[in-house]
Amino acid sequence: MSDLFAKFDPVIEIREQLLATGRTDPFNLVMEKVESPTVAICNGKRTILLGTYNYMGMTFDPDVIAAGKKALDEFGSGTTGSRVLNGTYVGHRACEEALKDFYAMDHAMVFSTGYQANLGIISTLAGKDDYIVLDIDSHASIYDGCALGNAQIVPFRHNDIDALEKRLKRIPEGAGKLVVLEGVYSMLGDIAPLKEMVAVSKANGAMVLVDEAHSMGFIGEHGRGVAEAQGIIDDVDFIIGTFSKSVGTVGGFCVSNHPKFEILRLVCRPYVFTASLPPSVVATAATSIRKLANSADKRAHLWENSKRLHAGLRQLGFTLGTDEPQSAIIAVIMPDLETGAAMWEALLNEGLYVNLARPPATPANMTLLRCSLCALHSADQVGEILAMFAAAGRATGCID
Ligand SMILES: Cc1ncc(COP(=O)(O)O)c(C=O)c1O
């Protein structure tokens, strides 16, 4: 019998080597209790959360929780059906209305996850004879969307405007062209030069899709993302987002002003052939989105947290993914996986959870300790976090 698992042997070996050193498995942590968006109990210990995507701290918002409970009582635990059959409730429509208002756009389509939103929109828009030009560091869901649609994939160097332009100019005349970009790249926390990239894309006749998963709620005057902050949101054809980060629940969406957008509901397979989100989830999402529209104070505090953590880590001697803080993600670059795992464990023992990220999720084979800040981290917590980095960094020899 052929061994279909043989292709995973290199991953199994790396994992076994890591666990043989006696390290705690960094990919098997259990949250025993979650007390707030910033604190959980892990291994019986109070742990500050610095590795969630809960940027705006909405998961315990009393209005969000009340909306979810009410919908659970009134509409039950699930829809048991597709959006195009029995799975569209008033709550799904209300959630799409909240998104349209939030982005000031004509159309919004809610998916069961952000992964499915990319999978569905990209694969439906760009088919076999079309070209997708995308940043090489794009999220897995973007690549999977390209593969599902069977489009020609043309990657370009990360955030390189000239490279994007060169690739666009090489595409045969008359072919369908979609440029896919992200607002914030989640591994290093850097932002895209969307203004220039969207201009180049439009000048070359391409439609543009921007995934704002890590910027929604936080970046831009109204929290619409990097496209808003750079003043070009009206030039973007499709914005993809998720409810699993700033919104604080689960789900995904696409918003657009394209006049033919609504037809996608009938032809997009990852929208049609899956069950819709439970009523409680869309109710929490809609409530959260409406509150995020009016959260300028939280956005300002999150920027303060990001700047403070970035400056503090740099002062301690850590190498960071960006020279300046550009988002709520601060990536600490580790020399290798072993040191990264040791540092991750030392931080956990101190009472701090961060994400350990490694290839293939990371660019350039990097091992990263990814810190993502929350608008509800207090100034004291950021101080505690820096003290824990100092202690763990010295214990593991990462800093002097
Ligand atoms: C850039 C980007 N797009 C899409 C997604 C998928 O979002 P979801 O968790 O809703 O599937 C993620 C999740 O990490 C992401 O980082």
Side-chain angles (χ1 to χ4, degrees), residues 104-227:
M105 291 221 181
D106 294 339
H107 305 281
M109 195 168 157
V110 166
F111 289 77
S112 299
T113 63
Y115 177 90
Q116 279 163 283
N118 271 330
L119 201 66
I121 295 293
I122 295 173
S123 66
T124 310
L125 287 174
K128 197 163 77 61
D129 299 322
D130 300 317
Y131 287 77
I132 297 176
V133 187
L134 81 175
D135 190 294
I136 197 149
D137 289 348
S138 293
H139 189 259
S141 56
I142 292 174
Y143 276 104
D144 292 356
C146 298
L148 185 67
N150 219 358
Q152 307 292 320
I153 303 177
V154 186
F156 65 89
R157 209 166 73 125
H158 180 55
N159 273 351
D160 186 332
I161 303 159
D162 292 340
L164 165 63
E165 190 169 26
K166 277 192 196 125
R167 300 292 181 284
L168 278 166
K169 289 201 182 304
R170 270 190 229 143
I171 294 175
E173 194 77 21
K177 287 172 259 186
L178 176 68
V179 171
V180 179
L181 305 166
E182 292 180 34
V184 171
Y185 285 86
S186 66
M187 285 299 136
L188 295 177
D190 55 333
I191 60 167
L194 285 186
K195 189 172 181 184
E196 294 79 3
M197 289 188 154
V198 171
V200 162
S201 306
K202 293 280 146 176
N204 286 278
M207 284 188 145
V208 181
L209 178 152
V210 179
D211 180 334
E212 296 270 19
H214 293 274
S215 42
M216 181 195 185
F218 172 37
I219 296 181
E221 190 189 346
H222 304 92
R224 293 174 188 152
V226 177

Side-chain angles (χ1 to χ4, degrees), residues 224-306:
R224 293 174 188 152
V226 177
E228 181 189 29
Q230 297 187 7
I232 45 89
I233 195 160
D234 291 338
D235 299 328
V236 174
D237 297 282
F238 308 97
I239 291 180
I240 294 282
T242 172
F243 299 159
S244 72
K245 308 197 194 301
S246 285
V247 178
T249 176
V250 68
F253 65 88
C254 179
V255 291
S256 173
N257 283 327
H258 197 285
K260 296 185 191 164
F261 186 79
E262 292 298 323
I263 197 62
L264 292 177
R265 292 189 199 269
L266 296 182
V267 294
C268 177
R269 293 165 70 89
Y271 179 82
V272 174
F273 293 103
T274 195
S276 63
L277 286 169
S280 55
V281 169
V282 280
T284 54
T287 307
S288 178
I289 291 161
R290 293 213 180 271
K291 290 192 88 165
L292 286 176
N294 299 306
S295 297
D297 290 354
K298 278 170 106 180
R299 285 191 261 285
H301 181 68
L302 184 47
W303 273 122
E304 270 169 37
N305 282 348
S306 178

Side-chain angles (χ1 to χ4, degrees), residues 299-318:
R299 285 191 261 285
H301 181 68
L302 184 47
W303 273 122
E304 270 169 37
N305 282 348
S306 178
K307 286 178 190 159
R308 200 155 159 240
L309 185 68
H310 191 283
L313 288 172
R314 169 170 273 194
Q315 205 172 16
L316 285 171
F318 289 102

